[in-house]
Amino acid sequence: MDASDISDDLDQVLLTEDQLHQRLDELAATIDADYAGRELLLVGVLKGAVMVMADLARRLHVPVQMDWMAVSSYGSGTKSSGVVRILKDLDTDVTGQHVLIVEDIVDSGLTLSWLLANLRSRGPASVEVATLLRKPESAKVSLDVRYVGFDIPPAFVVGYGLDHDQRYRNLPFVATLAPHVYADD
Ligand code: PRP
């Protein structure tokens, strides 16, 4: 999928494929340096993190395992409520492991706040977070996110894993959505 497939639905490209890949190169180099001599358990949060997980993991040189969680917010509509239920739990016992949560976006921060508490309660050696995108102006909780790709404005963004109504995840870049697409939400 590229922009020509859905040009009417997009407002503007916020981050090009080249910008995403260049930033992932930098993040991977930092993570490699920080975890030198250790093994990492990457925990991807379905479904949005699929692209960043695949592209970040392939750039890392430290040994990694990869596992996945799927979570869902209780409550209304598209907004995160902070009350989360697990749809798919990890297959891995994280006790004593160095865990790196991999997210596509931290918006209100409520999902991540819950995930951090949940994973920390399982006795890992460490838990840190890598997110491709963060919306600082939307934050409802203050979180220590160690690896951030890009801070972005509070616009509706899609692509590179991020969806609107489950669509646009397979765009290779991040774009803002044209208002007419989500006007009836
Ligand atoms: C998105 C994203 C984060 C969460 C961030 O997931 O992947 O997990 O929302 O929002 P928050 O900071 O306001 O809690 P979503 O629930 O849209 O599911 P998806 O990954 O399957 O698209």
Side-chain angles (χ1 to χ4, degrees):
M1 180 185 242
D2 62 34
S4 65
D5 295 319
I6 53 159
S7 54
D8 289 349
D9 294 353
L10 298 182
D11 188 2
Q12 60 172 343
V13 175
L14 202 61
L15 297 162
T16 66
E17 190 170 3
D18 280 351
Q19 286 176 304
L20 295 174
H21 288 182
Q22 192 181 340
R23 186 70 184 121
L24 287 174
D25 285 344
E26 295 168 359
L27 287 179
T30 305
I31 293 167
D32 270 337
D34 290 352
Y35 288 90
R38 289 181 282 175
E39 181 161 353
L40 255 182
L41 174 64
L42 301 178
V43 172
V45 186
L46 294 168
K47 305 171 188 136
V50 165
M51 305 298 180
V52 60
M53 179 77 148
D55 284 344
L56 179 65
R58 281 182 288 184
R59 285 166 165 76
L60 292 171
H61 295 280
V62 291
V64 301
Q65 296 179 41
M66 295 161 70
D67 203 348
W68 302 91
M69 283 184 82
V71 297
S72 171
S73 274
Y74 285 111
S76 62
T78 54
K79 293 272 182 268
S80 185
S81 67
V83 184
V84 173
R85 81 192 148 107
I86 296 175
L87 303 178
K88 185 223 168 287
D89 206 344
L90 297 173
D91 297 327
T92 314
D93 177 1
V94 305
T95 310
Q97 301 234 49
H98 294 287
V99 174
L100 182 62
I101 298 171
V102 179
E103 267 284 24
D104 52 336
I105 190 164
V106 178
D107 196 331
S108 69
L110 294 171
T111 303
L112 186 57
S113 174
W114 184 92
L115 258 179
L116 280 165
N118 181 281
L119 292 178
R120 282 181 177 139
S121 74
R122 305 186 194 194
S126 65
V127 183
E128 299 290 349
V129 180
T131 185
L132 182 70
L133 307 175
R134 180 174 63 179
K135 290 181 178 171
E137 292 168 53
S138 303
K140 289 190 178 157
V141 282
S142 164
L143 291 170
D144 184 19
V145 179
R146 186 148 177 195
Y147 308 101
V148 178
F150 301 92
D151 280 327
I152 61 169
F156 201 129
V157 289
V158 296
Y160 200 72
L162 292 132
D163 74 307
H164 172 258
D165 204 11
Q166 302 303 325
R167 298 175 65 213
Y168 313 109
R169 292 192 198 273
N170 57 331
L171 282 171
F173 51 83
V174 173
T176 51
L177 204 56
H180 75 84
V181 179
Y182 57 88
D184 297 331
D185 282 5

